[in-house]
Amino acid sequence: MSNMWKPSLVFRLLPVLLIPTLTMAQPASAQEPTSPVPPNTPATTEVRPSTPLPEPIRVPPPLARVPYLPFPNLPFANLDEANNGVGIAQQRTREKGYQARILWIDATANLDKVNSDAKIATLISKIKQAGFNTIVFEVKPIIGLTLYPSKYAPKMTEWVRPWKTQTLPLDFDPLKEMAAQAKAQGISLLVNMNAFSEGHRDFPGKGPGWDNPQWQTVLYEPDLKVRRDILGTPAYPLTDRANIPPRNPEDLAVYTDLSRWKADPNALIALVDRNDTVVAQVAGAAVATLGVAVPEGGAALIATAPASRNFLIFNAVPGYRLTMDTTPAFVPIGQRIDRQVPLMTNPHHPDVRQRLLNMVSEIINGYPVDGIIFDDRLRYASLNADFSESTRREFEAYLDGKGIQWPDDVFRYEVNFPSLSRSVVPGPYFDAWLTFRALNLRNFMAEVVRKVKTDRPNALVATYVGSWYPDYPDVGANWGATDLQAGFRFLNDAYRRTGWAGLVDFVTTGCYYEIASIHEAAANSSDIGETVEAAGQFSNRAVNDETFVYAGLQLDRFKNKPEALKKALQAAVATTQGIMVFDLSHDFDQFAAVFAEAFQKPQTAPHQVAGFLDEVRAEKAQRKSIGTAPPPVILYRGKSGTGF
């Protein structure tokens, strides 16, 4: 801006202001007579509305929307077509008559159905007759063994459960026969692998994750100790989980409900109230006879080992006040098998990643299958994984070398005493942690796609995930589109870019609810978000035409409910571009007639049509280039853990 002096507005307007003043200066004799105005009389002003007064309008009636029923031969379902029909993939698959019909075959649950040539031939014939056009066959279950002979994993020969034992001959390769029969009978075959799981909770010590403990993901857990609220007094280890026995029998147990405690007459119990004050010491033998109750809002500290009993005797005297110290502990998941069924590995570990890539290549180059699909173990174990030192170094590098207070700058645990209720307090780099992990999985997915498409350009890569998207920041798996706009706190611009939908040929989501439609849920006063229709709608909007999406149904939710399954099929395929049915083991024969009725008109899956996905993506890009935006995404409250 120039510093040259400029005349003010007053000076610039002065000639204009003076002219009327001179004109009005007339002799007194020429002035019009005026009426006397009483002093202090307010001037009269006309009050006008600041906006125009409303007028009647005419609104034309909305267009009538007829619910799209993908299966006209099944019963009518009142569906939300206004939101079900959104998207290019939806419109184009309907126009062309494409529809995915996928049946999932879990490895361990169906082992005795795929352990001979004859069984496999009969099975595929049955699936084909029911109208399915695609099979997903799991060959690497969560235990980390494989059904096919692999260079990188032991082969499974049996699956033993208390209620059933299944076997697979060592020299029999079910994948080879599945591929041959699928080709012969004209049905698409994809192979499923549990990516980052290498062991099973019920079989400790069995699986590659146990043989290679350095692969196991490291969990960040709170380490708890209790003491008197006087500095310098001794502290004693406390369990980190209430109402179940501690992992270490030497530790103090915590129960907020003594009815869940397996009584031990030799135990010593300290009852603590909500103010952390000891109100009584009770012998274990007296609990049943005296009817001991936990104080409201308090807990019972229970000692069964000599050291823990001595601690209570001297430090949990009635009237004493206790406090709890919380420090971080970093433990391999193998020491916390109570946390979840799969023994999860570290998705950052180079050996873990390379081995999985080798197995993908082994299958793609060794068998005439149509592609690979990863199920819901393409993730981290939980929000508190992986906190290994190597991952810490990678995270600090991601932050441009900033040293951080580990793990508090990511998050810290706030554990309430004595109830042991736990909450997460985010640190300054919490959002960066979510993005860092999602980016790692996205980039691994890119490696897989690059490997598969290089080896066999027409081979497919797909993923299965649960339909409740807000669960997934905790486990790092961002299966949405890179341009998804939805009202989630975690969905910032950086996190959004980690979406992997645009990398894969399709995504199938577990819309595992019993109620089919939003209308049905509302009529029953149920949560409308906990429906196949709401879950399918959001799944379709989340991938936002970056790939195809198919709604998954869990068969065991419809046992002896064939009519409910028919409605669910309508809702699933009305909201997405196809259906995935889990699982063959869920009494498939009971529902075969329902599928045959629904699928009586054969249709091709969108992923089977060469170049079709490219057309959808190109049309989306063209619309974006001219500023055409999709309608807002509706957020329904689904149920956490659905499809997980």
Side-chain angles (χ1 to χ4, degrees):
M1 180 180 292
S2 172
N3 292 322
M4 185 181 297
W5 178 86
K6 295 182 180 180
S8 70
L9 181 62
V10 173
F11 281 96
R12 282 182 281 143
L13 291 181
L14 187 56
V16 180
L17 294 172
L18 290 175
I19 292 172
T21 304
L22 294 172
T23 304
M24 293 173 62
Q26 303 176 15
S29 59
Q31 294 183 17
E32 294 290 333
T34 58
S35 302
V37 178
N40 302 322
T41 301
T44 302
T45 58
E46 182 180 359
V47 178
R48 296 183 179 181
S50 59
T51 57
L53 294 174
E55 297 287 348
I57 64 170
R58 173 173 171 76
V59 176
L63 295 175
R65 291 184 183 270
V66 179
Y68 171 75
L69 298 179
F71 307 112
N73 47 316
L74 294 187
F76 174 82
N78 193 340
L79 300 174
D80 177 21
E81 176 58 16
N83 293 298
N84 291 347
V86 174
I88 299 165
Q90 280 290 78
Q91 295 158 11
R92 299 297 169 261
T93 51
R94 290 180 182 184
E95 290 168 3
K96 296 177 181 293
Y98 299 150
Q99 186 183 104
R101 299 167 176 176
I102 303 173
L103 180 65
W104 197 284
I105 302 178
D106 180 87
T108 55
N110 298 287
L111 197 62
D112 61 353
K113 298 182 178 70
V114 296
N115 57 5
S116 75
D117 290 351
K119 287 182 180 180
I120 289 174
T122 301
L123 175 61
I124 292 186
S125 176
K126 181 189 299 184
I127 295 170
K128 176 80 173 181
Q129 289 174 12
F132 289 89
N133 54 34
T134 305
I135 292 172
V136 168
F137 181 42
E138 183 181 63
V139 298
K140 181 182 178 290
I142 64 176
I143 198 169
L145 309 183
T146 57
L147 271 61
Y148 71 98
S150 172
K151 297 178 183 177
Y152 307 101
K155 186 173 184 293
M156 177 177 288
T157 57
E158 66 177 8
W159 187 248
V160 180
R161 307 300 280 165
W163 57 90
K164 187 177 185 179
T165 295
Q166 302 179 77
T167 60
L168 180 69
L170 181 62
D171 59 352
F172 180 65
D173 183 356
L175 179 54
K176 180 180 179 182
E177 187 61 24
M178 287 285 288
Q181 285 294 331
K183 185 175 180 62
Q185 299 192 41
I187 192 166
S188 179
L189 177 66
L190 281 83
V191 172
N192 170 53
M193 306 177 76
N194 283 260
F196 294 119
S197 177
E198 301 294 346
H200 192 290
R201 178 178 63 194
D202 296 344
F203 302 93
K206 187 173 185 178
W210 295 103
D211 298 336
N212 299 275
Q214 72 277 12
W215 293 355
Q216 295 178 21
T217 192
V218 173
L219 304 180
Y220 158 35
E221 298 267 295
D223 185 65
L224 308 179
K225 291 184 178 180
V226 65
R227 59 177 174 81
R228 288 187 62 187
D229 67 341
I230 299 174
L231 288 177
T233 55
Y236 195 85
L238 189 70
T239 183
D240 66 338
R241 51 188 195 165
N243 296 314
I244 53 177
R247 298 182 190 87
N248 184 347
E250 297 285 324
D251 292 354
L252 285 168
V254 175
Y255 281 80
T256 59
D257 179 1
L258 280 174
S259 68
R260 299 170 64 178
W261 176 56
K262 186 178 180 180
D264 179 353
N266 298 316
L268 179 63
I269 301 171
L271 299 177
V272 182
D273 66 16
R274 67 173 66 219
N275 297 314
D276 308 339
T277 301
V278 180
V279 297
Q281 279 190 7
V282 183
V287 170
T289 56
L290 298 180
V292 175
V294 174
E296 185 176 354
L301 307 186
I302 302 179
T304 55
S308 56
R309 286 174 56 88
N310 286 337
F311 175 81
L312 290 187
I313 289 172
F314 295 106
N315 295 276
V317 175
Y320 283 9
R321 197 164 184 269
L322 303 180
T323 190
M324 186 177 68
D325 298 324
T326 304
T327 56
F330 304 103
V331 294
I333 195 171
Q335 298 177 22
R336 293 291 187 270
I337 59 174
D338 56 294
R339 291 297 187 209
Q340 54 185 287
V341 174
L343 184 76
M344 298 295 289
T345 55
N346 177 5
H348 295 268
H349 198 294
D351 293 347
V352 169
R353 295 164 72 96
Q354 187 58 54
R355 174 176 170 272
L356 190 56
L357 286 169
N358 291 341
M359 296 177 78
V360 167
S361 181
E362 182 177 59
I363 290 173
I364 288 296
N365 293 306
Y367 297 88
V369 298
D370 292 309
I372 297 285
I373 182 169
F374 292 114
D375 70 6
D376 209 42
R377 259 59 68 179
L378 184 69
R379 59 172 175 85
Y380 289 80
S382 51
L383 179 64
N384 61 331
D386 178 86
F387 276 78
S388 64
E389 274 301 305
S390 59
T391 299
R392 172 186 177 171
R393 290 192 295 270
E394 284 190 36
F395 183 53
E396 289 179 338
Y398 174 69
L399 298 174
D400 295 326
K402 293 177 183 175
I404 62 174
Q405 186 68 34
W406 183 260
D408 287 10
D409 278 353
V410 176
F411 70 84
R412 64 179 176 82
Y413 284 113
E414 189 173 86
V415 185
N416 293 323
F417 181 77
S419 68
L420 300 191
S421 60
R422 184 188 302 187
S423 60
V424 167
V425 180
Y429 296 113
F430 182 77
D431 286 344
W433 177 249
L434 299 184
T435 300
F436 162 73
R437 300 193 316 158
L439 182 63
N440 180 56
L441 293 186
R442 182 267 174 210
N443 287 344
F444 175 76
M445 200 65 191
E447 287 186 72
V448 172
V449 172
R450 190 164 57 249
K451 177 64 177 171
V452 169
K453 302 293 184 179
T454 300
D455 290 354
R456 281 177 50 198
N458 293 329
L460 305 173
V461 179
T463 56
Y464 164 85
V465 291
S467 60
W468 184 231
Y469 186 71
D471 278 337
Y472 281 86
D474 283 4
V475 294
N478 182 7
W479 51 269
T482 54
D483 59 357
L484 171 61
Q485 299 286 341
F488 299 117
R489 191 206 66 79
F490 61 84
L491 196 60
N492 53 58
D493 287 342
Y495 185 87
R496 187 177 290 111
R497 292 178 60 192
T498 67
W500 73 48
L503 302 179
V504 298
D505 294 286
F506 69 84
V507 172
T508 179
T509 63
C511 304
Y512 292 169
Y513 297 108
E514 296 176 33
I515 300 176
S517 68
I518 293 170
H519 179 271
E520 183 182 354
N524 296 333
S525 299
S526 300
D527 193 324
I528 63 174
E530 296 181 22
T531 61
V532 174
E533 185 175 34
Q537 271 187 19
F538 181 80
S539 299
N540 182 52
R541 300 304 308 280
V543 303
N544 199 22
D545 290 321
E546 289 193 358
T547 192
F548 300 121
V549 61
Y550 311 139
L553 299 181
Q554 187 168 326
L555 265 189
D556 63 0
R557 291 182 174 270
F558 301 98
K559 188 173 184 178
N560 301 319
K561 300 176 183 178
E563 296 306 310
L565 175 59
K566 292 177 182 180
K567 293 179 182 178
L569 286 170
Q570 295 278 37
V573 185
T575 54
T576 65
Q577 296 91 61
I579 180 74
M580 185 279 290
V581 175
F582 184 88
D583 171 81
L584 174 69
S585 66
H586 294 176
D587 202 4
F588 175 78
D589 290 344
Q590 177 190 152
F591 303 105
V594 172
F595 294 123
E597 181 183 359
F599 301 158
Q600 59 185 249
K601 180 182 177 183
Q603 289 187 313
T604 302
H607 62 264
Q608 293 175 301
V609 183
F612 183 40
L613 181 56
D614 292 336
E615 293 176 16
V616 171
R617 288 171 172 167
E619 186 173 346
K620 174 183 176 176
Q622 192 274 334
R623 291 190 184 184
K624 287 184 72 172
S625 70
I626 61 175
T628 303
V633 175
I634 300 174
L635 300 181
Y636 298 104
R637 186 183 64 184
K639 186 175 183 180
S640 181
T642 298
F644 218 60

